Amino acid sequence: MSEPSESAFTTPIHGHLPHTTKEVLVDFASGIVGGCAGVLAGHPLDTIKVRLQSQIGGAPPVAHGTAAVSSTYYKGPVDCAVKIVKGEGVTGLYKGMVSPLVGVAVVNSLLFGVYGSALRHISGSSDSNDIKSIFFAGCVSGSVNALLSCPMELVKIRLQTATNASPTPSSSRSSHSLVNLITHLYRTNGLRAFYRGLGVTIWRETPSYGAYFASYELLCRYFSVNGDVEQNFSSPDGKNEGMLGQTGGLLMAGGIAGVIAWMSTYPLDVIKTRIQSSTSTSKESRSVRYHLKSILRNEGWKTLWAGWATTCVRAFPTNAATFWGVWCVRELFKDDGRS
């Protein structure tokens, strides 16, 4: 398939490269809307994923070694969902959602903003971007994004892994609320407490966001008309002749790109969950090498892919909704006369 004349990021799929204040503001607004749509679409499955990832030898860390072990052992995604709903109600699936919703405005604005700036810097003044440039721009945005996503995800994971049956101080009912947990963490170790697992978060985010944006670009071209992204997703008469149509093409590209991004660094995400869900103060508990060796020695390599099916199922609607939200906002504020 021949390369299109310009990147999908510079077409109405993502919006033109911002040169005016209005376009920059639309860039930020689209990131906020897309991020919120993604959180709402995928959080229940994210909770299931975190519970499956964090259980050690059959029990979540917060319940390990207590009477809660047998009652909270999750045999798989469906069993996990059923036990959460039975034991904690439907709201149990939405534990920790406030944290990503509150942070999504800043995180997604930063993510798309840094990505656009990095892409312009790498590509120069040209609107023609090859996949290599898009990949590296995505890597840059991912590494910067980790600085915000690390504390946000730590809080989310602590809330998600706190079960009603867990009597340990770190997961007591007093720390089940967002405000109480944040206060507890800050009093325990200041701002450093929120950056537990920062290193592995950077390792996870950097290549995964490169794969995210690059695969989205390739998929947009694949679902377009003869590789012409502009013709496929922004025809003047509003009609679409692409493989799946306008909406279908965007949703498929966003959803598949999300799955690819997650799977590209998934074992690192499992280790990150172990590090951030642990309340141990030992140096070992923060070590990627320690957790990797421990998992391989005691639980086997399959544990590094614990919850992967749930993650894929969640990643598709979450990222489809994210890119669709981004595109809708850009279309809403797009100038009709803009080329």
Side-chain angles (χ1 to χ4, degrees), residues 99 146-156 158 178-199 201 272 275-276 286:
S99 175
L147 299 176
L148 290 178
S149 65
C150 179
M152 185 183 74
E153 291 190 11
L154 182 139
V155 172
K156 175 181 71 68
R158 292 290 177 88
L178 177 63
V179 175
N180 287 340
L181 177 59
I182 291 175
T183 301
H184 172 74
L185 288 170
Y186 185 76
R187 287 177 177 174
T188 301
N189 201 23
L191 290 176
R192 289 186 61 186
F194 296 93
Y195 283 91
R196 182 187 182 98
L198 175 61
T201 302
K272 184 186 78 71
I275 291 174
Q276 292 189 320
R286 298 171 179 267

Side-chain angles (χ1 to χ4, degrees), residues 246-329:
Q246 184 182 66
T247 302
L250 288 170
L251 292 177
M252 284 296 291
I256 296 174
V259 172
I260 291 173
W262 270 106
M263 291 300 99
S264 66
T265 57
Y266 193 80
L268 288 174
D269 185 64
V270 174
I271 294 173
K272 184 186 78 71
T273 298
R274 292 288 179 94
I275 291 174
Q276 292 189 320
S277 63
S278 172
T279 58
S280 173
T281 57
S282 68
K283 187 175 181 180
E284 283 185 337
S285 67
R286 298 171 179 267
S287 168
V288 173
R289 182 179 179 182
Y290 168 78
H291 282 283
L292 178 61
K293 289 176 65 176
S294 176
I295 289 172
L296 293 177
R297 181 175 62 249
N298 301 320
E299 303 170 63
W301 66 268
K302 290 184 179 180
T303 300
L304 291 172
W305 294 92
W308 72 269
T310 303
T311 300
C312 288
V313 173
R314 165 188 170 268
F316 192 93
T318 296
N319 291 283
T322 296
F323 274 113
W324 178 244
V326 169
W327 184 83
C328 285
V329 171

Side-chain angles (χ1 to χ4, degrees), residues 159-172:
L159 290 173
Q160 288 175 318
T161 55
T163 64
N164 291 343
S166 306
T168 58
S170 62
S171 60
S172 64

